[in-house]
Amino acid sequence: MDFDFQKEARKGYFKYFSIWFLIVFVLLIATAAAGIRHYRIMQAPRANTAAPSERVYDEANLLTDEEEQSLRDYIAEKEAKYHIDFVVWTFDEPLSDKSSLSDSEWNRLIMNKADDFWDQRQYGYNKGFEGDGSLLADCRYPGQRGEWLSTSGSVYEALSSAEVDSILYDVDEYYDSNPYKAYKAYIDGVCRKMGGGVPGFYYLIALVAAALFTWVYYSSHAKKNAAANTVAVKQYVVGGKPANNTGRDNLLHKNVTKRIIQTSSSGGRSGGGGGGHISSGGAHHGGGGHRH
Amino acid sequence: MFYKCANCGGNVVYNPEKKGMFCPYCDSPDSEQRTEGDKDEMVLCPNCGGELVYDEYTSAFRCAYCDTGLILTPRIDGAYRPKKMIPFQMGKEMCKKALRERFKKNLFAPDDFLSDVRLDGMSGNYVPYWLYEYQTHCDFQGQGRKIRTWVSGNTEYTETSVYDVSRSMDIHFDKIPVDASIAMPNDVMDLVEPFDYKQCVDFDPKFLSGFRAEFYNFSAEEEENRANQKMKASAEKILKESYAGYSSITTTSQHVDIREQHSEYALLPVWHYDYSYNGQDYPFYINGQNGKIVGEAPLSKKKALAYSLTAFGICYALLALVPLLVSFL
């Protein structure tokens, strides 16, 4: 019987990739199962009915009625999609009676105020205590101006201090010029960080990375494997070394040069940001603020 | 001439694995009986009477009809008698194993590249070589620089010392091999080296039985230039090693003088495997003593495409699925 090279080659191919085929298959099944579970969760109705329906508290009167309504509609749309609460609260009352506040005092006061506002109204998409969502508190009192982003539940879990800071920079861009856009930037920023899936550009990067990997893979296996010259320098020298080997190394002259080493000093910058903490109501919150 | 088995009349050949003469028909060791054929150029096989076809320089080969290992006596006698030889230390099976080991990572090689069917076609060849011996005197004159740098406080010091360097040595080169075969490419034969001359023995025609062999296609004088170049390159490297401690060196003069030279004719063992794929030949040469392989593996575009695309698919699937799974959890 003739030896079937093609059949053997096919067997070799499947044997070579068998582990990887198995891993991809298991991953595919796990992803499909997780996707179905995720879809079901997203289809589930809101569990927390204790929180008020209002999401926009414009006590500092920064928004027009139309802007307020538009923001409410936008929040409703995002809440339905991401299953997290969004609350915007502006106020122009002082955080403290003290005439001047240090940055750390300002941070502590606005953080407590925002957390209490959230906890007392029992916000959170899934539950009234440590529920999923975030609040943007915007203090417009002269000398104490600035915003604080308070996070809770899944938003607290998902957002790092750096990510909170990044969202607040988006808010800062419109803070003075257009508060409506600033609050939308807060909502968009949180939505972006909360994912809602993997961003589209990631798949492009993955495509490029896979192509690079394939090139390396191809190159390493397509090597011609040519032979190298393995003849030693003294391969054919009788006894492995020269005879009557004499040498002379006479010092003719010597000189020394010197050079001064230039040194430079460099400074650094450090950044800050809010972190995890427990509010007066006993709930876990995260977040951060930018004082203006 | 050929070797006949005293027990069964079959053809006795040299077997590298058994390190001796062996009859493959009745498994008898050392049962050979030298059987002379035509004293002049052989035209008909002395065993089967079949017509023989061989090349101008062939001295041993197998009959195309009865596969008997034949040796052309006039081509191994007199001026054509090699002084020394290294008998094959690796048989065909060992060579197959060495080739498979060497190219096992060449995933994209064609399916039948290392198959028994193809590898059975490889042939063992005794390649004619001239082995050159040189008594040389080498000397070198030059100026060497040693540079030393150190730091003290915020100052960097650089000390440059200049030396007058001279070296003188006698180097005795022995058995520098240069192949004397038109059929064997020179660059490939240089890569097949080195051979271990400890296994070098006086010529004995028995070792040719069952293998192909040639007598020299060029005289020792014609090949001398190649040997000279090899010797000089080696001598210059040895000189260079002797002044290796310098940061830089300027050569004033360098001489490699030959005081005495000799050459001797020898046969060295090389296996040859020719693989053809898509109209292209891929020759492989294997040192019959140590198994060193010279040759480049062929590439099947179809196989390379299939494996690379699969690797791409798997990589992309992993990169795409893992973050998607994490985002769902």
Side-chain angles (χ1 to χ4, degrees):
Chain A
M1 195 184 80
D2 287 342
F3 191 78
D4 190 342
F5 287 112
Q6 288 201 337
K7 192 178 164 191
E8 280 303 305
R10 273 197 298 275
K11 265 170 73 178
Y13 167 86
F14 284 112
K15 192 179 168 194
Y16 180 78
F17 286 113
S18 58
I19 298 272
W20 292 105
F21 283 152
L22 188 71
I23 290 171
V24 170
F25 179 72
V26 169
L27 205 58
L28 207 63
I29 298 292
T31 309
I36 291 166
R37 181 179 155 269
H38 180 75
Y39 176 77
R40 283 188 180 154
I41 291 169
M42 295 311 267
Q43 293 303 308
R46 181 186 175 86
N48 178 12
T49 51
S53 59
E54 185 58 84
R55 296 287 187 272
V56 181
Y57 298 88
D58 185 23
E59 292 169 12
N61 274 324
L62 300 172
L63 303 170
T64 64
D65 288 348
E66 289 76 25
E67 283 175 336
E68 271 186 43
Q69 192 49 49
S70 168
L71 209 55
R72 282 188 192 102
D73 293 344
Y74 193 63
I75 286 171
E77 181 196 320
K78 295 294 179 190
E79 280 187 2
K81 187 175 176 187
Y82 291 93
H83 286 206
I84 51 176
D85 279 357
F86 291 95
V87 179
V88 174
W89 175 34
T90 73
F91 56 93
D92 54 4
E93 61 190 39
L95 293 167
S96 161
D97 294 336
K98 281 173 76 174
S99 56
S100 72
L101 293 173
S102 68
D103 284 349
S104 62
E105 281 175 323
W106 182 87
N107 267 325
R108 183 176 49 79
L109 289 168
I110 195 164
M111 178 182 81
N112 290 340
K113 203 171 173 84
D115 290 350
D116 290 346
F117 190 91
W118 176 274
D119 291 348
Q120 282 160 14
R121 284 162 184 76
Q122 296 182 49
Y123 278 114
Y125 191 87
N126 51 338
K127 54 188 176 182
F129 181 76
E130 293 185 341
D132 302 338
S134 66
L135 162 95
L136 186 78
D138 180 5
C139 175
R140 293 283 173 159
Y141 188 78
Q144 296 178 12
R145 295 168 80 243
E147 78 275 16
W148 183 269
L149 173 57
S150 173
T151 57
S152 173
S154 64
V155 184
Y156 166 54
E157 297 289 335
L159 265 61
S160 67
S161 298
E163 285 169 331
V164 167
D165 216 31
S166 149
I167 294 169
L168 290 175
Y169 278 119
D170 291 346
V171 173
D172 289 347
E173 207 172 315
Y174 302 105
Y175 186 80
D176 291 317
S177 60
N178 191 335
Y180 170 73
K181 277 191 176 175
Y183 306 143
K184 271 189 90 173
Y186 140 66
I187 296 160
D188 289 341
V190 173
C191 289
R192 197 169 56 245
K193 305 291 181 192
M194 289 304 290
V198 182
F201 69 88
Y202 170 80
Y203 291 102
L204 194 68
I205 293 169
L207 205 68
V208 175
L212 279 174
F213 167 80
T214 307
W215 174 248
V216 173
Y217 173 81
Y218 172 82
S219 307
S220 65
H221 286 94
K223 273 194 288 192
K224 303 248 181 203
N225 224 345
N229 191 336
T230 52
V231 178
V233 175
K234 293 172 187 164
Q235 186 80 41
Y236 303 114
V237 176
V238 175
K241 59 182 181 184
N244 301 323
N245 191 349
T246 56
R248 196 182 65 239
D249 300 83
N250 291 339
L251 179 66
L252 296 176
H253 56 86
K254 182 188 282 193
N255 74 307
V256 178
T257 58
K258 57 184 180 178
R259 182 178 72 87
I260 304 296
I261 301 165
Q262 301 294 328
T263 55
S264 62
S265 59
S266 60
R269 285 186 348 154
S270 59
H277 57 271
I278 297 172
S279 67
S280 60
H284 283 90
H285 285 276
H290 279 184
R291 191 176 183 183
H292 292 267
Chain B
M1 179 258 279
F2 71 103
Y3 291 93
K4 201 180 227 179
C5 177
N7 299 326
C8 72
N11 179 212
V12 179
V13 293
Y14 176 69
N15 187 312
E17 272 95 2
K18 296 185 192 298
K19 303 268 185 269
M21 296 298 276
F22 179 75
C23 174
Y25 301 97
C26 66
D27 290 346
S28 302
D30 303 319
S31 61
E32 75 277 10
Q33 279 182 333
R34 183 171 167 146
T35 309
E36 295 297 335
D38 201 332
K39 286 282 179 197
D40 298 317
E41 291 294 284
M42 232 191 285
V43 180
L44 299 174
C45 174
N47 188 44
C48 72
E51 194 181 340
L52 300 175
V53 181
Y54 48 86
D55 297 330
E56 188 185 351
Y57 297 107
T58 303
S59 57
F61 64 110
R62 279 183 183 268
C63 169
Y65 302 101
C66 65
D67 207 35
T68 298
L70 301 170
I71 299 158
L72 300 169
T73 315
R75 299 187 179 193
I76 55 164
D77 266 349
Y80 297 124
R81 185 177 176 85
K83 194 169 181 196
K84 297 279 179 185
M85 72 185 299
I86 297 177
F88 272 95
Q89 303 296 313
M90 294 187 72
K92 193 177 272 186
E93 290 308 314
M94 282 170 84
C95 271
K96 284 183 186 177
K97 207 174 154 189
L99 276 164
R100 286 181 176 131
E101 183 62 29
R102 164 75 183 279
F103 295 110
K104 69 179 177 189
K105 285 185 180 165
N106 284 68
L107 263 188
F108 307 151
D111 303 331
D112 64 342
F113 169 52
L114 297 172
S115 66
D116 272 331
V117 180
R118 292 292 198 123
L119 291 175
D120 278 339
M122 75 165 77
S123 62
N125 298 266
Y126 280 104
V127 178
Y129 271 85
W130 289 107
L131 306 179
Y132 293 84
E133 183 185 358
Y134 290 97
Q135 292 278 7
T136 65
H137 178 76
C138 311
D139 59 57
F140 170 86
Q141 292 283 337
Q143 215 171 60
R145 280 183 166 70
K146 279 184 181 172
I147 297 168
R148 192 167 69 95
T149 306
W150 70 95
V151 175
S152 175
N154 66 341
T155 308
E156 184 188 80
Y157 296 88
T158 304
E159 178 192 83
T160 307
S161 308
V162 180
Y163 291 83
D164 173 31
V165 182
S166 75
R167 298 286 183 270
S168 171
M169 56 184 78
D170 294 333
I171 309 177
H172 181 191
F173 292 95
D174 192 23
K175 293 188 177 60
I176 295 178
V178 174
D179 77 279
S181 168
I182 297 167
M184 299 292 171
N186 291 347
D187 54 342
V188 172
M189 287 301 104
D190 286 347
L191 287 173
V192 164
E193 289 176 42
F195 289 94
D196 181 4
Y197 295 119
K198 285 191 194 99
Q199 289 174 320
C200 204
V201 295
D202 289 337
F203 175 74
D204 186 336
K206 277 196 279 191
F207 293 122
L208 304 189
S209 183
F211 293 95
R212 290 177 57 82
E214 276 187 322
F215 67 92
Y216 55 83
N217 306 178
F218 303 102
S219 68
E221 290 71 31
E222 285 173 304
E223 292 288 8
E224 196 181 301
N225 197 32
R226 273 182 67 203
N228 228 303
Q229 283 174 7
K230 278 185 167 186
M231 178 273 290
K232 277 197 169 159
S234 178
E236 282 165 9
K237 279 181 189 167
I238 292 168
L239 280 172
K240 200 172 177 180
E241 274 182 7
S242 72
Y243 54 76
Y246 288 97
S247 309
S248 68
I249 200 131
T250 312
T251 305
T252 314
S253 70
Q254 182 169 288
H255 299 103
V256 177
D257 297 325
I258 300 168
R259 291 184 171 169
E260 244 183 276
Q261 84 175 69
H262 301 284
S263 61
E264 58 185 6
Y265 171 39
L267 294 178
L268 302 181
V270 177
W271 282 95
H272 182 202
Y273 168 44
D274 252 331
Y275 179 78
S276 292
Y277 179 69
N278 276 352
Q280 201 180 328
D281 288 335
Y282 295 87
F284 294 86
Y285 298 88
I286 303 121
N287 184 315
Q289 188 185 30
N290 59 27
K292 185 183 177 189
I293 297 163
V294 181
E296 294 181 344
L299 187 139
S300 158
K301 285 180 185 166
K302 199 173 139 191
K303 217 170 163 186
L305 192 71
Y307 275 73
S308 298
L309 282 179
T310 309
F312 174 80
I314 289 170
C315 181
Y316 185 67
L318 292 177
L319 288 172
L321 288 175
V322 170
L324 196 62
L325 178 62
V326 170
S327 77
F328 286 150
L329 295 175

